[in-house]
Amino acid sequence: MKFRTHKMSTNVVYGVGLAGFTTIVFFLMNAGIDPRAHRVGDFDPAGAGIVGIGLYGLYHTIAIIFFNEDDSSDKDAPAPDHHVPRAPDSYTGFIRQAWYKVFSVGPIWAFFSAASIFIWHSFAKSTGTPGTIWGDYSASPLPALVIFFACWLAVNLGFTLSAVAEAFNRDHPAVFIIMLVTMFLLGIGLTFVFMFPIPEMSTGSGLSLVTITLPLSLLALFGTRLWAVVRVARCDAAHPHLSPRQQRRRERFDPRHQDNGGPRAGAVQQGSAVPHATAAPPTDLLQQGEVLQPGEALLLQFRSDLTPEPQMLIATNRRVVRASVNGQGRSVVLDQAQPGQLMGGSCTFDAGGVVTTAHFRGRAEMRLLGGDPAQSQRFAEALTRLARTGRTTP
């Protein structure tokens, strides 16, 4: 479940669309038409407002399903290397979005929902009992405030369960499924809460209830999302999730899973990793004016010769670099990041072979396709250790 786009206008579009759709349903029911069967005279108009408010409870709780694609990659990041396949992403990637984009969904959707009910009440054949939230909707702004807070609360509860699902998506798929099922069950439960207690509740009681529970739901969402972000980052960096096909490829190509225990003596290695800063760096890195800067020490490097021009992932005491070796044996920097952005490394397997990835905070990943699987695994582990402890060795 990923936000379809990173633009704030998307939240407004969905909020207006949701309110418009529910308003159409209300007017059909208000005219005595069952929206499911398109028949006249088989629906009591007195329940139009109650059912419409109940639909808002359902839609707001499962709001995450309306954001099920992710094209939120950093526009300022370099173009992806067509030789490197896109790493598999999570099923609920909304936690990768900026916090204000996530937290704005609730109030934006709730505003349009609460405003649309003013239109409903003006045309309703049954305006409810005076003194209740539905009955006083056109007489006072307080009932609208209750609905606004209640819808916002429903979004927070749904997003909280989505964050928990995201946190366990990589390593506990059963918990992931349970959380999503729980979210839908909660949506059904809140549908009945919005249909029956809330419309007939006194305005004062309703306002007191949502005023207490809304801040609690915001705290729960903030804390759960923050925890999920940290847990997913650690899981991705230390224990990358492998599909069954990827696992089979790993067992096939990783020398540690083979009987010979590794490549034969004298075999040519496609990749290499330098585990210590004191190890001799590649010759092409020593060329003047190229990758290494004066006073910069090489900590780790992994090289792949699978692409037309060999590429390297390099970690120094100042930065992390993806470089390309041109035909003259000199290196050109393709991408670089600050050490503080480094989250770790991972080694996965794709149809094209091993994929070595450096993960970062707030920017695109760096990936290399090809190389020796065992060397890639050691490089990824050392990179993760470097991100966590500042050291490349245990």
Side-chain angles (χ1 to χ4, degrees), residues 24 34 52 59 86 89 105 129 132 135 149 176 193 201 216 242 269 315-317 326 356 358:
I24 293 174
D34 188 338
Y59 293 149
R86 180 180 176 88
D89 201 358
V105 174
T129 305
T132 62
F149 285 161
F176 166 77
V193 172
M201 187 180 296
L216 296 177
L242 298 179
Q269 298 298 315
T316 75
N317 58 336
N326 60 29
T356 308

Side-chain angles (χ1 to χ4, degrees), residues 274 276-286 292 296-299 301 314:
V274 178
H276 302 288
T278 57
T283 303
D284 55 276
L285 292 182
L286 297 179
L292 287 184
E296 191 171 19
L298 179 66
L299 301 178
Q301 71 95 5
I314 302 162

Side-chain angles (χ1 to χ4, degrees), residues 16-369:
V16 172
L18 172 65
F21 172 78
T22 312
T23 298
I24 293 174
V25 173
F26 166 81
F27 277 107
L28 288 174
M29 293 185 295
N30 193 53
I33 302 174
D34 188 338
R36 300 167 299 174
H38 305 286
R39 295 193 299 268
V40 179
D42 56 358
F43 190 89
D44 185 2
I50 295 174
V51 173
I53 294 175
L55 288 177
Y56 278 146
L58 173 64
Y59 293 149
H60 283 77
T61 307
I62 61 174
I64 191 67
I65 71 172
F66 294 93
F67 304 93
N68 60 354
E69 295 178 6
D70 186 10
D71 58 353
S72 59
S73 57
D74 189 355
K75 291 184 177 180
D76 297 329
D81 190 339
H82 67 278
H83 297 292
V84 180
R86 180 180 176 88
D89 201 358
S90 65
Y91 296 102
T92 56
F94 87 99
I95 65 169
R96 300 191 185 280
Q97 298 290 328
W99 65 269
Y100 62 89
K101 297 168 187 173
V102 175
F103 283 83
S104 66
V105 174
I108 290 176
W109 282 31
F111 170 80
F112 289 109
S113 300
S116 66
I117 300 179
F118 280 110
I119 302 176
W120 302 0
H121 201 266
S122 299
F123 292 91
K125 293 182 179 180
S126 176
T127 56
T129 305
T132 62
I133 293 175
W134 172 244
D136 290 348
Y137 210 88
S138 297
S140 170
L142 293 181
L145 190 61
V146 175
I147 297 297
F148 174 81
F149 285 161
C151 291
W152 190 355
L153 170 67
V155 172
N156 294 341
L157 294 178
F159 276 8
T160 298
L161 293 176
S162 298
V164 176
E166 169 73 7
F168 291 101
N169 170 45
R170 305 300 200 277
D171 51 353
H172 292 86
V175 179
F176 166 77
I177 295 175
I178 290 173
M179 287 298 102
L180 295 187
V181 172
T182 302
M183 181 185 68
F184 281 96
L185 293 178
L186 177 64
I188 295 174
L190 287 182
T191 299
F192 289 98
V193 172
F194 273 63
M195 286 178 62
F196 299 109
I198 290 183
E200 300 299 327
M201 187 180 296
S202 66
T203 302
S205 299
L207 187 60
S208 299
L209 179 62
V210 295
T211 302
I212 295 173
T213 54
L214 177 61
L216 296 177
S217 70
L218 285 170
L219 290 174
L221 175 57
F222 179 82
T224 305
R225 180 179 178 274
L226 182 62
W227 163 75
V229 169
V230 174
R231 192 179 192 279
V232 168
R234 290 178 177 175
C235 188
D236 282 349
H239 305 288
H241 174 72
L242 298 179
S243 66
R245 179 181 179 183
Q246 291 172 326
Q247 184 64 35
R248 289 193 298 270
R249 290 188 63 85
R250 178 174 182 174
E251 293 175 355
R252 177 182 177 186
F253 292 108
D254 192 337
R256 293 177 301 174
H257 293 82
Q258 299 176 2
D259 295 336
N260 59 8
R264 294 186 302 273
V268 177
Q269 298 298 315
Q270 285 185 312
S272 60
V274 178
H276 302 288
T278 57
T283 303
D284 55 276
L285 292 182
L286 297 179
Q287 299 293 332
Q288 184 176 2
E290 295 297 340
V291 175
L292 287 184
Q293 300 173 350
E296 191 171 19
L298 179 66
L299 301 178
L300 295 167
Q301 71 95 5
F302 179 82
R303 175 169 172 161
S304 170
D305 296 325
L306 190 59
T307 53
E309 289 189 349
Q311 295 187 7
M312 293 176 291
L313 281 177
I314 302 162
T316 75
N317 58 336
R318 296 181 181 175
R319 55 193 174 143
V320 180
V321 176
R322 184 168 72 95
S324 176
V325 183
N326 60 29
Q328 290 73 37
R330 296 169 66 87
S331 297
V332 178
V333 174
L334 302 177
D335 194 8
Q336 61 181 342
Q338 299 299 319
Q341 296 178 290
L342 180 64
M343 291 170 49
S346 64
C347 169
T348 58
F349 294 86
D350 199 83
V354 63
V355 180
T356 308
T357 307
H359 303 275
F360 303 95
R361 297 182 184 86
R363 54 152 295 128
E365 299 170 337
M366 298 181 190
R367 303 188 187 100
L368 253 61
L369 177 63

